[in-house]
Amino acid sequence: MSGTILTLNAGSSSLKFAVFSTDETVTTPQLSGKIAGIGTAPVFGAQDAKGATLAKGPLEHLDAAFDHEHLIKLLLPWLAQHQGHEPLVAVGHRVVHGGKHFERPVQVTDAVLATLETLIPLAPLHQPHNLAAIRAVAKWEPDLQQIACFDTSFHQSQGRLAKLFALPRALSDEGIIRYGFHGLSYDYIASQLPDHLGDQADGRVVVAHLGNGASMCAIKDRESVATSMGFTALDGLMMGRRCGTLDPGVILYLMQAKGMTADAVTNMLYNQSGLLGVSGISNDMHVLQNSSDPHAFEAIDLYCYRAASSLAGLIPSIGGLDAIIFTAGIGENSGFVRKLICEQMAWLGVAIDETANDNNATLISTEQSKIKVLVIPTNEELVVAKACHALLS
Ligand code: ADP
């Protein structure tokens, strides 16, 4: 079927989109872009396949009051105008949580949407926005096929031990297990390993997805073996606003001794912790790196210390380590963070080339390094588009 596939990644304050051909051999989007600052100061930006900026038209002036539904109402005709003559045949969505219900991408029906709604408490920062985008497309283009692609799917390959909490068995049986997230990103990186690692592509790799959200995944034979995130996207690494791994006793103390409500604790752990909470300045790594405030450095230092601890903790699951891959906003752009993390892995024989690292080169380890260290930009949109291709055909 000739036409185009739209991918949407709807977050709390951003809506990323890309348009791919249904011709699977074309892996570069015809156009892509994002609306950032939703709810505060929305700004639209888009480029064509060659990177040329596209005219904003009616998306030039956006109101802070516009929600995802309103923005998608404006975006769909803009896309129709800019994507040439081929019709849009499907929309693929990044959906953070598929729970135990969805192991692979699925065509969205009313029943699927209703099931996904039940997972909102497990991903309160992401799931409501992912689903708002699905509902908006259904409202404005009811005949368009929609496909949900899950961040949890890539981790289906994990063994039982990697998924279990040491909780009463009945809770595991009802689905209180580690799911893991950022699976679309890990799926993409896994697909790139043969190009970068050759014979070692099926080896032992830890991928560090360091964006606003952050996690790590231990991969072997290009499949997920273990990951730092668990039942929700709160677990594991310290993040922009999220605390990462926390002694559950702290939560009990906050509620029992300090009288905090569940909502107040939720807000603290999801929105007021991480880089923002420790620095007291910002959740943005770039801002913190440019700050001379000692609290900013302490936040970065803690971020890297905990990332290195998590990395080391994942190694037994894959029986050693051949390569570390950095990806996402911080992983792709912050030589400073990569250096701080890699220095703490020097005991393992990790050595990075400072010039290559400063230049965000693809291979940043030295020739002598026992472990290869690479920087590979992620491409979650392409994974969503490919999943749509597969379902459509
Ligand atoms: P999201 O999870 O929202 O997709 P991104 O992957 O875009 O997030 O990552 C955003 C993070 O990347 C922010 O903390 C931002 O400061 C950081 N970042 C982007 N560019 C740089 C840079 N040059 N140096 C340091 N941090 C950067």
Side-chain angles (χ1 to χ4, degrees):
M1 185 192 320
S2 140
T4 60
I5 293 167
L6 168 65
T7 67
L8 288 180
N9 179 351
S12 57
S13 65
S14 71
L15 176 68
K16 296 180 195 161
F17 59 90
V19 174
F20 291 84
S21 166
T22 45
D23 175 355
E24 271 186 78
T25 58
V26 184
T27 52
T28 308
Q30 292 177 4
L31 60 88
S32 60
K34 127 174 179 175
I35 302 172
I38 296 174
T40 49
V43 180
F44 172 81
Q47 55 278 323
D48 67 15
K50 291 185 181 143
T53 304
L54 294 168
K56 298 183 183 186
L59 290 153
E60 173 89 53
H61 301 291
L62 298 175
D63 197 293
F66 291 176
D67 58 9
H68 286 83
E69 183 179 308
H70 194 118
L71 292 167
I72 286 172
K73 182 183 182 185
L74 299 175
L75 181 64
L76 290 171
W78 182 92
L79 289 169
Q81 211 181 11
H82 286 84
Q83 70 173 33
H85 302 298
E86 295 190 318
L88 187 58
V89 296
V91 183
H93 295 263
R94 175 197 179 194
V95 177
V96 163
H97 218 311
K100 60 178 182 174
H101 314 278
F102 303 107
E103 297 189 351
R104 53 187 65 84
V106 64
Q107 191 176 336
V108 180
T109 60
D110 288 347
V112 166
L113 196 53
T115 305
L116 292 175
E117 305 246 353
T118 66
L119 300 172
I120 286 177
L122 307 192
L125 219 56
H126 302 94
Q127 196 91 343
H129 308 292
N130 303 156
L131 303 188
I134 293 178
R135 268 189 252 99
V137 172
K139 178 165 182 179
W140 305 122
E141 291 285 347
D143 297 330
L144 211 48
Q145 193 169 161
Q146 299 202 68
I147 292 161
C149 303
F150 303 100
D151 266 321
T152 43
S153 298
F154 184 69
H155 303 295
Q156 295 298 330
S157 52
Q158 289 183 4
R160 181 165 162 83
L161 290 191
K163 292 185 175 174
L164 280 185
F165 290 115
L167 286 171
R169 186 167 286 272
L171 293 178
S172 314
D173 292 346
E174 75 179 58
I176 303 182
I177 55 169
R178 304 173 57 84
Y179 290 96
F181 300 90
H182 291 134
L184 299 170
S185 175
Y186 295 130
D187 198 339
Y188 176 75
I189 299 294
S191 76
Q192 298 303 297
L193 294 181
D195 287 350
H196 295 282
L197 293 179
D199 290 348
Q200 284 181 318
D202 289 336
R204 303 157 302 176
V205 178
V206 171
V207 183
H209 176 108
L210 309 179
N212 278 317
S215 70
M216 287 186 178
C217 184
I219 291 179
K220 197 173 172 201
D221 294 325
R222 281 179 267 164
E223 290 187 343
S224 173
V225 177
T227 188
S228 61
M229 274 180 174
F231 179 58
T232 68
L234 257 191
D235 200 7
L237 307 188
M238 174 173 162
M239 300 172 228
R241 296 170 188 272
R242 284 172 261 167
C243 59
T245 299
L246 182 72
D247 174 353
V250 173
I251 298 170
L252 300 177
Y253 178 81
L254 293 176
M255 297 181 78
Q256 291 168 347
K258 287 181 69 84
M260 284 177 72
T261 63
D263 281 350
V265 174
T266 303
N267 188 37
M268 176 185 285
L269 303 186
Y270 274 98
N271 298 317
Q272 298 170 348
S273 300
L275 290 172
L276 175 65
V278 177
S279 70
I281 299 168
S282 174
N283 65 308
D284 191 302
M285 183 61 83
H286 200 42
V287 170
L288 297 182
Q289 278 181 212
N290 290 318
S291 166
S292 55
D293 189 316
H295 290 173
F297 182 69
E298 188 173 71
I300 300 173
D301 218 11
L302 181 61
Y303 182 95
C304 296
Y305 169 76
R306 295 186 53 150
S309 307
S310 176
L311 203 170
L314 286 167
I315 295 173
S317 71
I318 44 176
L321 190 63
D322 299 312
I324 302 168
I325 316 275
F326 287 98
T327 194
I330 298 170
E332 291 166 28
N333 298 298
S334 176
F336 187 58
V337 166
R338 292 191 301 256
K339 182 170 180 286
L340 283 184
I341 295 173
C342 287
E343 279 175 353
Q344 293 174 70
M345 305 306 293
W347 57 273
L348 200 62
V350 175
I352 57 165
D353 177 320
E354 300 243 347
T355 310
N357 185 43
D358 289 346
N359 292 330
N360 297 327
T362 305
L363 180 67
I364 60 167
S365 47
T366 62
E367 268 185 41
Q368 293 73 36
S369 180
K370 289 195 183 131
I371 317 275
K372 281 192 182 146
V373 186
L374 294 105
V375 178
I376 303 179
T378 195
N379 193 344
E380 290 153 303
E381 289 72 26
L382 184 59
V383 176
V384 171
K386 285 192 167 186
C388 292
H389 283 135
L391 269 185
L392 289 173
S393 59

